[in-house]
């Protein structure tokens, strides 16, 4: 026995196992051999995955995002791939994780979540990276109908997105009233603007303003119970609470709020039980002098299936709208977004983008991000040619303004029982003049045409156009029905 122990001690490179002895160098060699075999297996798996991706993707997408990926880790629960660019890493994780997972599933028969790593991260034990990723994942900040009913007891369930603040909200003529109302509420916690109702088309900044209120109030009034929810999620949570026989927790969550913000409130319209519940929630908060802030894609009077008692309450406070940004505001938004993400875009290119993109703010932000990524990946400065190629998809299908104008005139003429030629003629009868005023107002609001350009369409000068705009503006103030009439026309025109 002592001889065996002495033998082991004297032979530093050997180890005793059972009845035999195996060289430590041999063990190391076997481990290295196993690791090599594992890597070969991973390479074979990934080669099959890449073949699938190549079949399902365009050549440019495959070459840019998938070709250089390598599979470096795989077990029953997770997988990791490596890419040689931090920018590509983030984009692939956000935009292409699903097709990667689906292709891997086709090869191995199950679908472990894929984590995209950089070259530097590859040197670290993948298990450590997975642990760090799990520990750094933020807690859920917004409530869902699928969450456990205990989550309804959270005193302050809010969606906090630090990216959206009043400081980076670009103010222009199309949104300055909404901005002023939101900043006033954020500073004072409560105000005479109760409820505040913000409406406008999608992508114009309503949600940005709601998040900005939340972030500002969290800083100024940290003890306030701020609750944010989307209209359809409010319905889903109500249904879930009824199914779980826990409506008390649901009611406590909303009726004990100091500030309640509901985005896309239009989604509760036509839902009888949801409207009933929200009616009582609204009353409880309002009577307790708690702030209510609502956002929708249309004003209360245009929510056809909204109960009258709710519609009247939505109109108790201040109603403000956010409209499509004009050229100057679009240019300012583009400049600000480029600065925020560190992309240098020359002024002529910014001006080109501001002239070319009209839909909404999200479109502008998406264009800047895409142009920045294209410039980075190609290693060349931003030019108008790069901008044109990047926004080709965004602006595809946008019709020339001349066709938009013709459709506006045609729609208005049809509504008021006359021809397009009548409206464009020199006739000055009351009916034709009124329809002409409507046309001029709509053209000014949904196109970027200057006053002189609009005047030329009707054989008038810019002062006549200004007079027409004034007639309609004054008419809308005197008659809410005219406002509804024009909005319905604009909606019909946009829908084609």
């Amino acid at each position: 026995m002592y001889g065996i122990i002495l033998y082991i001690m004297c032979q530093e490179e050997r180890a005793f196992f059972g009845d035999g002895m195996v060289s430590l160098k041999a063990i190391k060699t076997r481990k290295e051999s196993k690791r090599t075999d594992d890597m070969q297996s991973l390479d074979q798996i990934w080669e099959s995955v890449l073949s699938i991706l190549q079949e399902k993707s365009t050549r440019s997408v495959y070459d840019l995002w998938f070709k250089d990926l390598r599979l470096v880790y795989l077990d029953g629960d997770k997988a990791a791939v490596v890419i040689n660019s931090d920018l590509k890493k983030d984009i692939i994780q956000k935009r292409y994780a699903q097709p990667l997972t689906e292709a891997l599933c086709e090869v191995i028969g199950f679908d472990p979540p894929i984590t995209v790593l950089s070259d530097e991260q590859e040197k670290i034990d993948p298990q450590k990276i997975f642990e760090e990723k799990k520990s750094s994942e933020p807690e859920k900040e917004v409530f869902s109908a699928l969450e456990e009913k205990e989550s309804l007891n959270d005193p302050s369930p809010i969606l906090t997105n630090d990216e959206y603040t009043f400081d980076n909200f670009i103010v222009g003529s199309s949104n300055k009233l909404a901005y002023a109302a939101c900043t006033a509420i954020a500073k004072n916690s409560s105000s005479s603007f109760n409820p505040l109702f913000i409406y406008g088309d999608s992508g114009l900044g309503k949600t940005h303003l709601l998040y900005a209120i939340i972030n500002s109030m969290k800083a100024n009034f940290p003890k306030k119970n701020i609750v944010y929810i989307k209209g359809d999620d409010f319905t889903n949570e109500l249904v879930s609470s009824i199914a779980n026989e826990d409506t008390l927790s649901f009611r406590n969550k909303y009726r004990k709020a100091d500030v309640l913000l509901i985005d896309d409130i239009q989604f509760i319209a036509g839902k009888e039980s949801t409207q009933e519940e929200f009616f009582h929630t609204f009353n409880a908060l309002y009577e307790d002098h708690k702030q209510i802030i609502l956002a929708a894609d249309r004003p209360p009077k245009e929510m056809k299936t909204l109960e009258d008692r709710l519609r009247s309450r939505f109109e108790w406070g201040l109603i403000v709208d956010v409209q499509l940004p004009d050229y100057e505001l679009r240019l300012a938004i583009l400049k600000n977004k480029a600065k925020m993400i560190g992309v240098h875009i020359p002024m002529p290119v910014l001006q080109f983008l501001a002239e070319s993109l009209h839909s909404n703010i999200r479109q502008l932000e998406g264009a800047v991000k895409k142009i920045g990524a294209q410039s980075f990946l190609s290693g060349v400065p931003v030019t108008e040619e790069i901008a044109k190629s990047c926004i080709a998809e965004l602006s595809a299908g946008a019709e020339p303004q001349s066709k938009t104008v013709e459709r506006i005139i045609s729609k208005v003429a049809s509504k008021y029982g006359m021809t397009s030629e009548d409206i464009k003629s020199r006739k000055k009868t009351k009916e034709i003049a009124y329809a002409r005023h409507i046309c001029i107002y709509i053209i000014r609001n949904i196109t970027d045409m200057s006053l002189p350009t609009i005047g030329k369409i009707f054989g008038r000068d810019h002062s006549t156009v200004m007079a027409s705009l004034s007639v309609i503006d004054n008419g809308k103030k005197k008659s809410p029905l005219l406002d509804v009439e024009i909005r319905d026309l604009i909606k019909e025109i946009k829908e084609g």
Side-chain angles (χ1 to χ4, degrees):
M1 182 69 178
Y2 292 109
I4 292 175
I5 295 173
L6 181 62
Y7 183 81
I8 293 173
M9 292 174 64
C10 291
Q11 303 295 323
E12 293 182 357
E13 290 190 6
R14 301 183 70 80
F16 183 79
F17 291 88
D19 294 329
M21 288 172 288
V22 181
S23 167
L24 292 176
K25 188 177 292 184
I27 293 173
K28 184 178 180 182
T29 301
R30 287 183 184 179
K31 286 183 177 180
E32 290 175 349
S33 175
K34 184 178 184 302
R35 188 180 298 113
T36 301
D37 290 341
D38 287 345
M39 291 306 297
Q40 288 176 344
S41 298
L42 291 178
D43 288 343
Q44 290 170 355
I45 291 171
W46 196 244
E47 185 175 348
S48 300
V49 171
L50 289 178
S51 296
I52 293 171
L53 291 169
Q54 194 167 16
E55 289 176 7
K56 295 185 175 182
S57 309
T58 63
R59 181 173 180 178
S60 59
V61 168
Y62 176 81
D63 288 344
L64 185 58
W65 303 112
F66 300 140
K67 184 178 179 181
D68 297 326
L69 285 168
R70 291 181 292 111
L71 181 64
V72 295
Y73 185 87
L74 177 65
D75 65 18
D77 301 315
K78 47 196 168 291
V81 295
V82 167
I83 190 66
N84 55 5
S85 161
D86 283 338
L87 176 64
K88 283 187 177 183
K89 175 178 80 73
D90 294 335
I91 294 174
I92 292 170
Q93 188 71 67
K94 290 177 182 177
R95 294 180 175 270
Y96 295 105
Q98 184 175 347
L100 285 173
T101 302
E102 290 173 354
L104 181 59
C105 182
E106 282 191 39
V107 175
I108 63 177
F110 59 97
D111 56 348
I114 291 180
T115 297
V116 185
L117 308 177
S118 65
D119 282 335
E120 288 299 314
Q121 288 176 310
E122 183 188 6
K123 300 172 186 177
I124 305 172
D125 181 0
Q127 198 62 41
K128 290 182 179 179
I129 293 194
F130 292 127
E131 291 172 358
E132 290 173 1
K133 182 181 177 184
K134 186 175 181 180
S135 64
S136 65
E137 284 178 353
E139 295 182 0
K140 290 183 180 179
E141 296 173 316
V142 67
F143 278 65
S144 163
L146 301 178
E147 290 177 309
E148 295 294 332
K149 64 180 181 180
E150 286 79 11
S151 65
L152 291 169
N153 297 318
D154 190 321
S156 184
I158 59 175
L159 175 63
T160 54
N161 192 327
D162 294 336
E163 180 183 352
Y164 299 107
T165 67
F166 289 122
D167 290 337
N168 61 27
F169 185 85
I170 309 301
V171 183
S173 59
S174 62
N175 58 28
K176 62 182 178 182
L177 181 56
Y179 173 84
C182 290
T183 53
I185 288 174
K187 289 176 182 176
N188 301 318
S189 171
S190 62
S191 69
S192 57
F193 310 145
N194 198 23
L196 173 64
F197 193 102
I198 309 169
Y199 72 92
D201 289 339
S202 177
L204 297 182
K206 301 187 301 296
T207 302
H208 185 139
L209 287 172
L210 296 187
Y211 292 163
I213 291 172
I214 291 171
N215 291 324
S216 179
M217 281 191 164
K218 284 181 64 185
N220 296 330
F221 310 101
K223 294 183 179 180
K224 291 286 185 183
N225 180 17
I226 307 170
V227 179
Y228 169 96
I229 190 73
K230 288 183 176 291
D232 51 352
D233 288 334
F234 184 87
T235 298
N236 292 337
E237 284 190 15
L238 174 60
V239 171
S240 180
S241 70
I242 293 171
N244 293 324
E245 299 181 351
D246 193 22
T247 54
L248 179 61
S249 294
F250 174 86
R251 288 168 182 164
N252 286 339
K253 171 186 170 183
Y254 293 104
R255 298 183 191 183
K256 291 184 178 180
D258 294 311
V259 182
L260 174 63
L261 305 96
I262 300 192
D263 205 354
D264 293 324
I265 190 67
Q266 72 271 8
F267 287 124
I268 75 167
K271 298 170 182 173
E272 187 175 339
S273 297
T274 304
Q275 291 185 93
E276 176 72 22
E277 183 63 36
F278 187 69
F279 172 77
H280 295 294
T281 298
F282 184 101
N283 286 346
L285 292 173
Y286 190 85
E287 290 168 5
D288 205 21
H289 304 289
K290 303 301 184 181
Q291 181 67 52
I292 303 167
I293 304 165
L294 309 172
D297 64 354
R298 70 203 75 170
K301 59 190 174 186
E302 291 186 18
M303 296 182 187
K304 307 298 184 185
T305 55
L306 185 69
E307 292 179 0
D308 288 340
R309 58 180 180 168
L310 279 177
R311 183 180 292 107
S312 65
R313 280 162 173 75
F314 290 176
E315 294 173 344
W316 279 354
L318 177 66
I319 299 178
V320 295
D321 68 335
V322 285
Q323 301 173 359
L324 287 171
D326 56 21
Y327 171 81
E328 290 76 14
L329 183 55
R330 292 199 301 272
L331 185 59
I333 290 169
L334 289 164
K335 288 172 67 176
N336 182 67
K337 193 63 183 179
K339 182 179 179 181
M340 283 177 63
I341 65 175
V343 178
H344 174 67
I345 302 181
M347 180 54 71
V349 179
L350 290 172
Q351 291 170 338
F352 164 74
L353 292 171
E355 291 169 354
S356 304
L357 302 173
H358 316 100
S359 294
N360 55 52
I361 295 169
R362 290 194 195 120
Q363 185 188 53
L364 300 175
E365 293 178 345
V368 172
K369 290 178 181 178
K370 189 171 183 179
I371 289 167
Q374 183 69 24
S375 175
F376 177 85
L377 295 171
S378 62
V380 298
V382 175
T383 63
E384 191 168 317
E385 290 305 312
I386 288 179
K388 285 180 179 178
S389 66
C390 287
I391 71 167
E393 185 177 324
L394 294 173
S395 57
E399 68 178 0
Q401 287 191 337
S402 59
K403 287 189 177 180
T404 303
V405 168
E406 288 302 320
R407 193 165 71 254
I408 291 170
I409 296 173
S410 176
K411 285 281 186 183
V412 173
S414 176
K415 181 174 179 61
Y416 294 107
M418 58 190 71
T419 67
S420 297
E421 288 68 27
D422 288 333
I423 293 178
K424 288 189 285 185
S425 73
R426 304 295 297 183
K427 296 176 182 178
K428 296 183 180 180
T429 65
K430 183 178 179 181
E431 293 76 13
I432 292 175
Y434 179 75
R436 190 179 296 126
H437 294 326
I438 296 285
C439 283
I440 289 172
Y441 183 87
I442 294 176
I443 292 171
R444 179 62 173 168
N445 276 270
I446 69 174
T447 75
D448 294 316
M449 290 185 172
S450 64
L451 299 183
T453 303
I454 296 173
K456 288 179 182 178
I457 297 170
F458 302 95
R460 268 83 174 169
D461 59 24
H462 76 282
S463 61
T464 305
V465 173
M466 290 177 65
S468 292
L469 297 175
S470 180
V471 167
I472 299 303
D473 280 329
N474 291 332
K476 286 172 62 180
K477 291 174 183 176
K478 294 176 182 177
S479 172
L481 291 177
L482 176 59
D483 188 34
V484 173
E485 189 175 299
I486 291 175
R487 286 186 176 278
D488 286 342
L489 269 170
I490 290 175
K491 185 177 180 181
E492 288 179 25
I493 290 162
K494 287 183 176 179
E495 291 175 352

